[in-house]
Amino acid sequence: MEPQLLHSVTESVATVVIRHPERRNAMTAGMWRALPPLLDGLAADPAVRALVLTGEGGTFCAGADITSLREGPQQAQELAVRAEEALAAFPKPTLAVVRGHCVGGGTQLAAACDLRFAEEGALFGVTPAKLGIVYPASSTRRLVSLVGKAGAKYLLFSGELIDAARALRTGLVDEVLPEDALDKRVAEFTRILVSRSQLTQAAAKEFADGRTDRDAHWAERARGSGEAAEGVAAFLERRQPRFTWTTSGTTPGTTSG
C-alpha cells in the first residue's frame, strides 16, 4: 500500500489522513513534500471552514520514515519544517486527532495544529536525541509555547514517550477521550467550529500565535464584514447566526473579506 496523504471534505470540515500502515504512518519525503500544496488547496476552498489531521487506523504518526534520513538528516528535516510551517499557517482552525503513537515528526505536526484531541492510550514523544539530530529551532519554540521550557526539555533531552494523561496536564493536548467517544467528540466540536465566525477565528489565530502588526488590519476587516451585526441580530432573534466572511482564496497576511 503506497504511502500517501488522503483527504476529503464533509460538512465544511476537511480531513487529512496520514496513510502508511506498514511503518505506523511514518512520513516519507514524498508525503512531507505533498502536504504544503494539499493545504494550500484546502485553504482556498470556500467549502472548508476547519481542518482535521489524523492517521489511518490506530496510529497518528510514528515520525519521519527512517529510510528518508539515509539521504541526509538535514534535507529530511527541512522538508518536515516546511510541512509543519504550512500547517501552522493554515488560515482556518486545525485539529489533530491522535490515536496510538504520535512521535517525532508526528508530534511536530500535531503541535503545528491549533488544537489536539487524543484517545486514551495515545503516546507522545520527541525523539531527535535518540538519533543525534538537532531539533529545529522553530519546532522547539512551538513545543515550548505548548508545554513550557521544562516540559520541552524533558521531551527533547530524554526522547521518552509520555502518555495522554501527562500530555493533557502539560498542555500538549487539549482533550483526552475514551476510544469509543473520540470520533463523536470530534464531530461535535468541528460542528461548533464551522458554525462560528471565521473572522473571529482568523484574527484570534494570528493574535494568539504572536502576530503584533495586524491590529489595524483586523479592525478594518471587522468594520466592513457585517459579522458583528449578524451575530447580534441572531442573538436577539434567537436563531443561529449565518456568518459569511471567509478567508478562502487568500494567503496568510493578505486576508480579505
Side-chain angles (χ1 to χ4, degrees), residues 7 18 33 47 49 52 57 61 115 136 170 176 218-219 243 245-246 249 253:
H7 71 279
I18 303 167
R33 290 190 183 97
R49 297 184 70 90
V52 168
C61 174
L115 299 165
T170 61
V176 175
W218 288 112
F243 295 119
W245 190 94
T246 179

Side-chain angles (χ1 to χ4, degrees), residues 13-105:
V13 178
T15 300
V16 175
V17 180
I18 303 167
R19 182 184 187 187
H20 190 185
E22 291 84 357
R23 293 187 179 271
R24 294 193 299 179
N25 294 333
M27 293 282 288
T28 65
M31 294 166 77
W32 288 121
R33 290 190 183 97
L35 187 56
L38 172 59
L39 294 173
D40 286 344
L42 294 173
D45 186 347
V48 173
R49 297 184 70 90
L51 181 139
V52 168
L53 177 68
T54 193
E56 184 177 74
T59 296
F60 181 75
C61 174
D65 189 331
I66 198 70
T67 59
S68 68
L69 301 179
R70 294 174 183 162
E71 303 173 8
Q74 185 63 36
Q75 181 183 10
Q77 190 176 89
E78 289 172 358
L79 290 174
V81 169
R82 282 200 289 271
E84 175 193 0
E85 293 300 326
L87 183 56
F90 194 79
K92 304 165 189 182
T94 55
L95 174 64
V97 177
V98 179
R99 293 179 173 85
H101 283 72
C102 178
V103 181

Side-chain angles (χ1 to χ4, degrees), residues 191-248:
R191 281 195 296 271
I192 292 170
L193 289 179
V194 302
S195 73
R196 304 309 194 215
S197 168
Q198 205 170 119
L199 172 71
T200 302
Q201 293 169 342
K205 182 164 182 166
E206 286 198 359
F207 295 156
D209 287 344
R211 191 80 183 255
T212 60
D213 60 343
R214 299 268 282 178
D215 300 40
H217 169 91
W218 288 112
E220 180 183 350
R221 293 298 181 273
R223 283 193 296 271
S225 69
E227 294 285 274
E230 168 59 16
V232 171
F235 179 81
L236 295 174
E237 296 166 13
R238 298 183 179 181
R239 61 173 173 80
Q240 287 295 314
R242 294 183 290 272
F243 295 119
T244 58
W245 190 94
T246 179
T247 64
S248 298

